[in-house]
Amino acid sequence: MADWVKVAGGLSAISAGSRTTVWGVNAASAIYHYTNYDANPWINVPGGLSDIGAGADGTVWGVNGGNQIFRYAGDQGASNPWTHINGSLVRIDPGSRTNVWGVDSADAIYRYTNHDANPWIKIPGALSDIGAGADGTVWGVNSGSQIFRYTGDQDSANPWKNITGGLSRIAVGSRTNVWGVNAAGAIYRYSNNDASPWINIPGRHRRRRGRHRLARQQERRHLPLHRRPAELTPPPPDCRGPGRGKAGAHTSATARQPGAREATLSRSAQQRLKHAAFHSVLQGRAPARPMTGRAADHEVRGPVGAVVVVAFGGWSV
């Protein structure tokens, strides 16, 4: 039998308080509750959250994109399923109704006081993620991927014990049921032995990559033209041949390099080449020859020796 069974759906954060208490949020902050039926696994719950935590007793807390804190009250017949609790957190995890922990955007650690009028008490230390169990067990990781177990109920002078290893996220079911993933997506389970604390579990936690891929593309657009990946300059769909488009206008250019076949550049690529050539003329880096006529094809030699045919009027470079 496989170690992991894939369940239909798409979530960016998930929390399992028990086999029947599983909640998650997707990249659009929509909230989902597991139906306990894999054929139709998720039911949408009103609201919007960026992180969510579920306890073994059914307690559910969450935070939204504005770091506001909410406790689920939909099982109590409330007209609004979420009760707003004062405070500001970016991560939250309830082990049970009375054991709720969170961290804020500055990595400060907070524990719920069980009193909504004055809900949070600050705990010494700094963590970027935290996990709480039903039996009171609390673990956390900091921004440097160091791992800590809470011992403040045993030693208030030094409330956190460093445990060997490196994790970026951590979840706690109980003292003997602690799981985490590292920055590479590898999965680990606590061995219950601090001397050799982690057992690698087959599988990989995949981070959602869409936003990171978009960021990489945007960064690449700032690279010099000759270093940009080909996928950022696809051929225009209306191209009718080298240098010709609709109504016979110059809407494309042709890049020629020794030993390489001709490739059609996009309209935006042409514009960048025109501006680069023009500024080279203005700054004296390339000789300029006045042209007659409306437009002509001209060659610009790039820093890697490529010869690019560009269509523009007024100057030849």
Side-chain angles (χ1 to χ4, degrees):
M1 182 178 177
D3 293 294
W4 299 96
V5 175
K6 184 177 181 181
V7 177
L11 299 174
S12 56
I14 195 167
S15 180
S18 68
R19 184 180 63 83
T20 58
T21 303
V22 183
W23 290 68
V25 296
N26 67 12
S29 296
I31 308 166
Y32 291 90
H33 182 200
Y34 180 53
T35 64
N36 298 303
Y37 181 52
D38 286 353
N40 187 24
W42 303 104
I43 181 172
N44 182 229
V45 176
L49 298 173
S50 57
D51 191 44
I52 198 164
D57 59 0
T59 300
V60 178
W61 288 63
V63 296
N64 66 13
N67 301 342
Q68 294 175 305
I69 308 165
F70 297 88
R71 182 177 61 229
Y72 183 64
D75 55 354
Q76 301 170 22
S79 58
N80 182 354
W82 297 97
T83 299
H84 178 241
I85 305 297
N86 289 334
S88 175
L89 298 174
V90 295
R91 293 272 187 261
I92 196 163
D93 195 38
S96 66
R97 184 180 62 84
T98 59
N99 191 36
V100 184
W101 291 68
V103 296
D104 68 9
S105 58
D107 291 351
I109 308 164
Y110 292 89
R111 181 176 185 175
Y112 180 52
T113 63
N114 297 302
H115 183 46
D116 288 352
N118 186 26
W120 304 104
I121 182 172
K122 189 175 181 181
I123 304 297
L127 298 173
S128 58
D129 191 38
I130 200 163
D135 59 0
T137 300
V138 178
W139 289 62
V141 297
N142 66 12
S143 57
S145 298
Q146 293 176 305
I147 307 165
F148 297 89
R149 183 175 62 232
Y150 182 66
T151 57
D153 51 354
Q154 305 165 20
D155 181 7
S156 58
N158 185 21
W160 298 97
K161 179 179 180 179
N162 181 223
I163 305 297
T164 303
L167 299 174
S168 57
R169 296 297 302 266
I170 198 163
V172 180
S174 66
R175 183 179 61 84
T176 59
N177 192 27
V178 182
W179 292 69
V181 295
N182 66 12
I187 306 164
Y188 292 89
R189 182 175 183 175
Y190 180 53
S191 67
N192 298 305
N193 179 8
D194 287 353
S196 180
W198 303 104
I199 300 169
N200 182 227
I201 304 297
R204 188 162 295 276
H205 169 265
R206 290 189 175 184
R207 297 176 61 181
R208 297 182 69 86
R209 299 177 181 268
R211 183 178 300 177
H212 301 288
R213 184 181 296 115
L214 176 60
R216 287 196 299 269
Q217 288 180 349
Q218 290 173 339
E219 290 171 0
R220 289 171 180 172
R221 292 184 190 279
H222 294 287
L223 292 173
L225 184 63
H226 69 283
R227 292 180 57 197
R228 290 178 185 165
E231 68 266 18
L232 297 185
T233 55
D238 60 343
C239 181
R240 298 182 181 179
R244 294 289 173 184
K246 293 182 179 179
H250 282 67
T251 59
S252 67
T254 305
R256 296 195 298 268
Q257 192 166 358
R261 64 181 183 180
E262 291 190 346
T264 305
L265 297 180
S266 68
R267 188 179 308 215
S268 61
Q270 298 172 47
Q271 294 297 326
R272 291 193 294 270
L273 284 170
K274 293 176 188 178
H275 288 302
F278 184 69
H279 285 292
S280 294
V281 171
L282 293 181
Q283 295 173 15
R285 294 199 302 267
R289 296 191 298 275
M291 290 285 298
T292 59
R294 186 179 58 163
D297 287 345
H298 310 289
E299 292 185 349
V300 178
R301 292 188 177 272
V304 293
V307 180
V308 183
V309 177
V310 191
F312 67 105
W315 294 94
S316 173
V317 182

